């Protein structure tokens, strides 16, 4: 079965019992979670987030800089007032740097592709907890984030447990 077929099949089962079509657009609990796109994290299940209650923003490494647009939209247009930045153990972003990523692109895709990512900051990091703190500080330093509560967390993919860093 292809991925597409599995998606349609899974969705048919989901929609057959779906009853929450009348939820409001703004998240009812007024908070946003920013976490990594890592396939081992299931935010709704891991943090018990009911449908319609929070924004879940995901990118590689749970980068506040990469999610800045989403966070501003979440707060200014949709009324969230709290952000939880949740990075995680074993994150792929701990395993390479800009030079490595550019080299890989060049080797697998060629010169033109390498040029396309030449100025791209892959926003990798070497210190997990340090980067959680730095992202929280960076976000708090933004004028547009005034009045927004920001906390930083680490989720352990090995245990399923989350712990607060800052
Ligand atoms: Zn990750």
């Amino acid at each position: 079965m292809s991925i597409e077929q599995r998606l349609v099949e899974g969705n048919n089962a989901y929609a057959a019992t779906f009853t929450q079509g009348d939820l409001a657009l703004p998240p009812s609990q007024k908070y946003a979670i920013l976490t990594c796109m890592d396939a081992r994290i299931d935010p709704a299940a891991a943090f018990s987030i009911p449908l319609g209650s929070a924004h879940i923003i995901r990118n590689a490494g749970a980068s506040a800089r990469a999610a800045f647009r989403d966070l501003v939209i979440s707060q200014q247009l949709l009324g969230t007032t709290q952000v939880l930045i949740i990075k995680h153990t074993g994150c792929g972003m701990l395993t390479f740097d800009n030079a490595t990523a550019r080299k890989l692109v060049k080797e697998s895709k060629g010169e033109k592709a390498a040029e396309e990512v030449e100025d791209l900051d892959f926003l990798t990091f070497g210190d997990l907890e340090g980067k959680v703190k730095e992202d929280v500080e960076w976000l708090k330093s933004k004028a547009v984030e005034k009045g927004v509560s920001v906390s930083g967390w680490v989720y352990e993919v090995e245990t399923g447990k989350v712990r607060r860093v800052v």
Side-chain angles (χ1 to χ4, degrees):
M1 194 188 288
S2 72
I3 300 290
E4 288 90 346
Q5 284 170 322
R6 215 156 54 208
L7 181 143
V8 169
E9 211 162 275
N11 179 249
N12 283 341
Y14 179 75
T17 57
F18 185 75
T19 57
Q20 295 181 281
D22 56 353
L23 294 171
L25 170 59
S28 63
Q29 292 179 21
K30 301 186 189 309
Y31 71 96
I33 296 247
L34 168 60
T35 195
C36 185
M37 66 188 193
D38 193 295
R40 296 168 294 180
I41 304 172
D42 180 351
F47 313 124
S48 191
I49 304 170
L51 197 64
S53 66
H55 282 145
I56 299 175
I57 301 163
R58 304 185 71 163
N59 63 38
S63 165
R65 285 168 178 81
F68 189 53
R69 181 193 72 112
D70 313 287
L71 290 168
V72 172
I73 290 169
S74 174
Q75 294 152 11
Q76 300 303 313
L77 282 84
L78 292 160
T80 60
T81 57
Q82 191 171 352
V83 182
L84 293 86
I85 299 176
I86 308 177
K87 296 186 191 287
H88 68 99
T89 55
C91 187
M93 303 303 279
L94 288 156
T95 65
F96 67 100
D97 58 17
N98 279 337
T100 307
R102 289 182 189 131
K103 186 166 168 276
L104 285 172
V105 169
K106 192 174 180 178
E107 284 168 6
S108 68
K109 298 286 182 177
E111 204 64 58
K112 188 161 179 0
E115 278 171 30
E116 288 170 355
V117 301
E118 202 172 59
D119 298 323
L120 189 64
D121 187 346
F122 288 88
L123 299 167
T124 63
F125 48 90
D127 170 14
L128 178 58
E129 299 207 354
K131 192 63 179 173
V132 170
K133 289 176 189 165
E134 197 213 297
D135 268 22
V136 168
E137 285 313 308
W138 181 83
L139 200 56
K140 281 181 170 174
S141 76
K142 296 289 174 191
V144 71
E145 297 294 315
K146 197 169 178 229
V148 174
S149 155
V150 186
S151 57
W153 306 72
V154 166
Y155 171 79
E156 297 175 353
V157 293
E158 300 84 3
T159 63
K161 288 183 181 167
V162 72
R163 59 187 153 83
R164 187 166 184 163
V165 175
V166 64

